[in-house]
Amino acid sequence: MEEAAGTEASFCLQKVTITDDSEDDYQHEEALQSALSSEKSVSEVPETVDDFLCNFLVRLGMSRTLDCFQTECKAKEALLKMQKERDFHRMHHKRVVQEKNKLICDIKRLKTHYASYEPVLKQLTEKYQSTLRQKMLTSLERDRAVGQVTGLQATLQNLESGRSIQIPVTKAGHECERKKGLEGPTQKALKEARQQKIRDAESSSYDPVKDPMKKTSKRYSKDSEFPVDNQVKPYLACAKEYTQPLKSGVYRLSNTLKAHDLAVSCLALHPRKNIVATGSDDHFWKMWAFPNGNIIMTGEGHTDWLSGCCFHPSGTRLVTSSGDTTVRIWDLSKGKCILTLGGHAHAVWDCSWHSCGDFVASASMDSTCKIWDVNSERCQHTLHGHKDSVNSIEFLPFSNTALTSSADKTLSLWDARMGLCAHTLHGHLHSCNHATFNMKGDTIASCDSCGVLKLWDVRKLGPVASIEAGPHPANQVVFEPSDSLGDIDIPGMCPHTDITGRAVALASDDGTVKVVQLKSGQLSSLAGHEGEVHGVISDHKAEHLLSGGADGTVRLWTREPACR
């Protein structure tokens, strides 16, 4: 039996002879390894042969060889499995490559298709912006025509009734009738101060070294005339129409508009429409419709950041001021700059239109203000008096009075016709960043770099209230154009003080818009901006606040009724 087994093993192992009395394990292992490395592959050896070899090695006690043989069998199975997985992944990779090539071809085709439509899209975008601009201008022309028709109808009715009337001559954007004998308290006080200045100037000789402000400007044929300062203010009638107080409520964020790539530095409200103009550090100004946020127009031309903007009283022009020391006037119907005014030595911080539409005022870092005649395109007066940067300037509506705030901690009231300072208001302990009139023109609100809000009585030419809204700087202040409050109760305010505007909004450096309720003195904050808030304005109906900040956004805050 052992001889037969030896013979079969010799046949299967191809010329390897194993005898019974062979006890050399090394020779048996060498023979087995040479048999496994023969020309016949392992995968072709039948499983019965594997079993036979395993039994044979067990009988001979060749454990090391048996372990190697079994390990090689397992390795063979693992190799076969990995070969199958390799083939599968290779096939999957080929399919992915095919899909990728197909997608690349589709992308190239789509890019070519998009490139063919890009000029058309550009044309449609330009047409859309042009249509919006024409729509706005058409609306303005319609309002102007309606006003003329209304005036003509009134004239015809008076003619038919047999009464003779005199039609007042008014300039574009100056909608008030110039009646004699109708002066507000502000005009009376300023008129007396102006007359006193004139009498003092006439009684003394002119010395250009000692008092350069007394010098009278040379007149030119194209110079415009300031309107008489005894005209009726339509805002007074509007304020008296508010017999019922508005419903109390709070402001909620209703829309966020990404207006510019850099900080929004200034805001201006259209005199008639729900349109806002924004200026930015990116050297651009833009016009937007709110509350939907559609862009109407974009203007470029300044070579540095914009600091201020203001609409013409008719709404057809825009004036902008910039860090490039210039003031530019833009024709909105043409969408381009029609006049550049230069003369300041340093950056211009603010600008404002006169109600007649013929004059523009500018405030500069060079401690001066200038009154520009748009028609003659020259500076009529340079206002000297502040000892530091002049941060804001504003005309009292339908008046020749200008209000300025300065880093020298003072406010000043100026007679724009003479270029003289009528009065200086002292009280702030820090740099004054902004000041504005209320609707009636008898109260001034100002804010400083420590967040202090002050209210001033123009008739008494003194402060009436001071409200702490700091410690962060307040950049702009605006009255809410609502009804008269009658008697209000603010700590530190004189009793029985009448102020038009029930709330004041402040743009703060802490990223919030602070709303001060003047009746109660309550202070609330509207948080939303990611950075400083540079400007805030209120719409005509006191339903919205708009704020612009360092994050390049304009945020629309809508008044909601308070929950009972």
Side-chain angles (χ1 to χ4, degrees):
M1 178 90 96
E2 294 178 357
E3 293 179 358
T7 304
E8 185 175 359
S10 300
F11 177 78
C12 295
L13 295 176
Q14 296 181 0
K15 299 179 183 181
V16 176
T17 59
I18 301 174
T19 60
D20 292 342
D21 54 351
S22 176
E23 297 179 357
D24 191 355
D25 294 340
Y26 178 78
Q27 293 179 359
H28 292 301
E29 292 175 2
E30 184 179 2
L32 182 59
Q33 290 177 1
S34 62
L36 293 176
S37 60
S38 61
E39 296 179 357
K40 190 174 183 180
S41 63
V42 178
S43 60
E44 295 177 356
V45 178
E47 295 180 0
T48 55
V49 177
D50 293 342
D51 295 339
F52 170 76
L53 292 174
C54 290
N55 294 331
F56 175 76
L57 295 174
V58 170
R59 285 177 59 189
L60 295 178
M62 303 171 63
S63 58
R64 291 174 57 192
T65 306
L66 178 62
D67 292 340
C68 291
F69 179 73
Q70 289 178 346
T71 302
E72 290 180 359
C73 291
K74 292 179 181 179
K76 178 189 70 173
E77 294 176 358
L79 177 63
L80 294 174
K81 183 178 179 181
M82 293 177 65
Q83 287 176 348
K84 291 180 180 179
E85 291 180 356
R86 179 200 63 189
D87 296 338
F88 172 77
H89 288 298
R90 184 177 294 173
M91 180 180 63
H92 183 67
H93 175 70
K94 291 181 179 179
R95 186 164 59 249
V96 170
V97 170
Q98 292 176 356
E99 292 293 335
K100 183 190 74 172
N101 294 333
K102 183 179 178 181
L103 290 175
I104 290 174
C105 295
D106 292 341
I107 291 174
K108 290 181 179 179
R109 181 174 54 83
L110 290 175
K111 284 184 177 179
T112 304
H113 188 66
Y114 174 76
S116 64
Y117 279 100
E118 191 171 5
V120 179
L121 291 175
K122 186 176 180 180
Q123 292 178 0
L124 291 176
T125 302
E126 293 176 353
K127 289 182 179 180
Y128 174 71
Q129 294 181 355
S130 176
T131 302
L132 287 177
R133 183 164 57 251
Q134 293 297 329
K135 178 183 177 181
M136 181 195 67
L137 296 176
T138 302
S139 178
L140 296 177
E141 292 294 336
R142 180 196 63 189
D143 293 344
R144 187 180 303 167
V146 170
Q148 293 178 352
V149 169
T150 303
L152 291 175
Q153 288 178 348
T155 303
L156 290 175
Q157 290 177 359
N158 291 324
L159 290 175
E160 290 175 356
S161 62
R163 292 179 295 175
S164 60
I165 61 171
Q166 182 178 2
I167 302 176
V169 178
T170 59
K171 297 182 179 181
H174 205 188
E175 298 178 351
C176 62
E177 295 183 1
R178 298 173 180 174
K179 299 179 181 179
K180 295 183 178 180
L182 295 175
E183 287 185 341
T186 307
Q187 283 71 34
K188 290 181 179 178
L190 294 175
K191 185 176 180 180
E192 293 176 358
R194 181 171 60 250
Q195 291 176 350
Q196 182 64 33
K197 290 277 186 180
I198 295 174
R199 286 194 294 268
D200 294 342
E202 291 176 350
S203 61
S204 60
S205 60
Y206 168 66
D207 188 346
V209 177
K210 295 182 179 180
D211 196 354
M213 288 191 297
K214 293 183 181 179
K215 182 179 179 179
T216 57
S217 301
K218 182 180 179 180
R219 301 295 301 175
Y220 289 81
S221 59
K222 293 184 179 181
D223 280 354
S224 303
E225 292 286 344
F226 277 94
V228 180
D229 206 5
N230 59 0
Q231 50 196 297
V232 177
K233 293 183 182 179
Y235 289 168
L236 292 175
C238 294
K240 294 177 181 178
E241 290 178 359
Y242 289 100
T243 56
Q244 297 294 330
L246 296 176
K247 294 181 179 180
S248 61
V250 294
Y251 286 100
R252 303 292 185 189
L253 181 63
S254 59
N255 195 7
T256 299
L257 177 64
K258 182 59 178 176
H260 295 273
D261 295 332
L262 298 180
V264 177
S265 54
C266 57
L267 300 170
L269 184 67
H270 192 277
R272 297 185 181 89
K273 302 295 181 180
N274 286 336
I275 295 175
V276 61
T278 61
S280 172
D281 289 352
D282 60 9
H283 308 177
F284 291 92
W285 62 264
K286 296 182 181 181
M287 284 176 54
W288 309 83
F290 69 91
N292 52 24
N294 292 331
I295 186 170
I296 299 175
M297 191 180 303
T298 301
E300 60 176 318
H302 283 290
T303 58
D304 210 334
W305 40 267
L306 271 73
S307 55
C309 56
C310 183
F311 278 100
H312 188 277
S314 66
T316 58
R317 292 182 179 182
L318 183 75
V319 61
T320 57
S321 59
S322 170
D324 61 8
T325 72
T326 65
V327 176
R328 290 176 181 260
I329 297 177
W330 308 80
D331 189 335
L332 301 182
S333 62
K334 300 176 181 178
K336 65 179 182 179
C337 177
I338 59 174
L339 180 60
T340 301
L341 302 172
H344 284 289
H346 297 289
V348 183
W349 280 123
D350 199 12
C351 56
S352 177
W353 279 102
H354 190 279
S355 298
C356 68
D358 293 332
F359 300 95
V360 168
S362 60
S364 172
M365 193 185 295
D366 61 8
S367 306
T368 67
C369 301
K370 290 183 180 292
I371 306 297
W372 305 91
D373 190 327
V374 178
N375 297 321
S376 63
E377 302 180 2
R378 75 180 192 92
C379 175
Q380 275 205 3
H381 299 289
T382 298
L383 310 182
H384 297 273
H386 284 294
K387 299 179 181 179
D388 207 335
S389 170
V390 186
N391 297 327
S392 72
I393 188 166
E394 177 180 311
F395 280 109
L396 176 64
F398 306 95
S399 167
N400 298 316
T401 302
L403 169 67
T404 59
S405 65
S406 172
D408 63 7
K409 310 174 187 179
T410 65
L411 310 179
S412 293
L413 293 169
W414 304 81
D415 182 356
R417 293 184 299 180
M418 303 298 296
L420 302 175
C421 179
H423 196 80
T424 300
L425 304 176
H426 299 269
H428 279 285
L429 302 178
H430 304 276
S431 170
C432 297
N433 291 336
H434 188 255
T436 185
F437 289 103
N438 69 338
M439 184 183 292
K440 283 185 178 180
D442 58 358
T443 305
I444 295 172
S446 61
C447 59
D448 64 23
S449 59
C450 200
V452 176
L453 167 68
K454 284 186 178 292
L455 300 178
W456 310 77
D457 191 330
V458 177
R459 292 166 293 188
K460 298 179 181 179
L461 297 175
V464 293
S466 180
I467 301 172
E468 294 286 343
H472 298 278
N475 298 316
Q476 188 175 1
V477 59
V478 61
F479 277 101
E480 180 187 80
S482 59
D483 55 300
S484 176
L485 290 173
D487 294 341
I488 63 179
D489 184 16
I490 296 179
M493 177 173 283
C494 299
H496 308 292
T497 302
D498 185 43
I499 294 180
T500 301
R502 115 170 108 180
V504 172
L506 288 169
S508 177
D509 253 16
D510 63 359
T512 65
V513 177
K514 299 184 184 298
V515 180
V516 181
Q517 301 296 333
L518 296 181
K519 189 171 184 178
S520 61
Q522 180 182 359
L523 177 66
S524 59
S525 297
L526 307 177
H529 283 280
E530 298 176 358
E532 301 89 350
V533 182
H534 292 160
V536 60
I537 56 175
S538 177
D539 72 332
H540 302 294
K541 297 182 180 179
E543 296 176 351
H544 303 283
L545 284 177
L546 293 99
S547 59
D551 54 4
T553 64
V554 174
R555 298 179 186 264
L556 179 67
W557 310 86
T558 303
R559 180 189 291 277
E560 294 181 356
C563 298
R564 293 184 178 180

